[in-house]
Amino acid sequence: MDELDLNRAFTLIEPGPVVLVTTHDGARDNIMTITWTMVLGFSAEFAITTGPWNHSYTALRDTKECVLSIPTVDMIDTAVGIGVCSGTDTDKFEKFGLTRVKGRHVKAPLIKECLANIECRVVDFVDRHSIVILQGVAAYIDTAREEKRMIHAVGDGTFIVDGDTIDRREMMRSKLPSGV
């Protein structure tokens, strides 16, 4: 095996799909692209990494709510584009032709074009690691959407796309906690 620079080791353990995080700061909506996401256990708890360098971070801190919108591979250029411009001077919904959908539990909007949306409340900030812990309060999925493959960031400007689904539910059934 060839040695890999330890600073690049994170590219080997890709944590989850790229998500678009919407916020509402009391005056306007914004979207940021997050490439580090994580599920916390078998509940609707999630973690994302972000901090004061992102325009949306202040809204997350102040309102303690957001929406995780999950784009699919046909939206990769939109996801990257959102990530490389700032909400300080750009209405990203308008720039990228995205449709706001009013949430039922939070002021941040859902994104109609995404495969799924999860309304969330912020339950903790782990400042040492720039982690925001979220509790899902409602989830929605567009089952009629033809494209369902999600994108995953490797961390160096490249992405991996979900592939074939392999079903081993029956084999694992006795090992999963009840309700899963």
Side-chain angles (χ1 to χ4, degrees):
M1 290 190 166
D2 295 329
E3 189 168 343
L4 177 67
D5 181 343
L6 190 55
N7 291 331
R8 304 294 303 147
F10 73 94
T11 66
L12 301 173
I13 303 175
E14 176 277 313
V18 171
V19 298
L20 303 176
V21 178
T22 68
T23 56
H24 181 80
D25 66 7
R28 52 189 289 243
D29 301 326
N30 193 40
I31 314 169
M32 67 176 160
T33 300
I34 296 292
T35 60
W36 192 93
T37 59
M38 186 172 113
V39 173
L40 301 176
F42 289 102
S43 66
E45 278 194 312
F46 311 97
I48 60 172
T49 297
T50 188
W53 59 87
N54 278 328
H55 175 71
S56 291
Y57 184 74
T58 301
L60 278 172
R61 275 260 184 217
D62 293 348
T63 67
K64 295 193 175 32
E65 61 182 39
C66 67
V67 172
L68 301 180
S69 299
I70 303 167
T72 50
V73 66
D74 55 327
M75 296 179 68
I76 189 166
D77 290 340
T78 297
V80 172
I82 287 168
V84 297
C85 69
S86 175
T88 58
D89 57 10
T90 305
D91 179 336
K92 297 181 189 183
F93 279 92
E94 183 178 314
K95 178 173 179 145
F96 295 98
L98 298 172
T99 309
R100 292 170 172 90
V101 176
K102 184 174 172 45
R104 293 182 187 161
H105 304 278
V106 301
K107 289 186 175 83
L110 287 66
I111 301 175
K112 181 180 181 186
E113 290 76 12
C114 285
L115 171 65
N117 289 270
I118 307 167
E119 293 184 68
C120 296
R121 300 218 187 275
V122 175
V123 295
D124 198 8
F125 291 90
V126 184
D127 293 328
R128 179 174 177 227
H129 297 289
S130 302
I131 294 174
V132 181
I133 307 296
L134 306 169
Q135 178 69 51
V137 295
Y140 315 91
I141 188 161
D142 182 355
T143 56
R145 194 173 202 289
E146 191 169 318
E147 182 60 74
K148 291 181 173 53
R149 294 175 297 155
M150 292 178 270
I151 48 180
H152 303 262
V154 173
D156 60 358
T158 61
F159 297 82
I160 297 169
V161 178
D162 285 343
D164 296 331
T165 300
I166 302 169
D167 184 345
R168 294 292 182 270
R169 287 178 283 196
E170 191 61 39
M171 183 179 185
M172 296 176 64
R173 195 161 318 275
S174 64
K175 300 293 182 191
L176 293 174
S178 64
V180 177

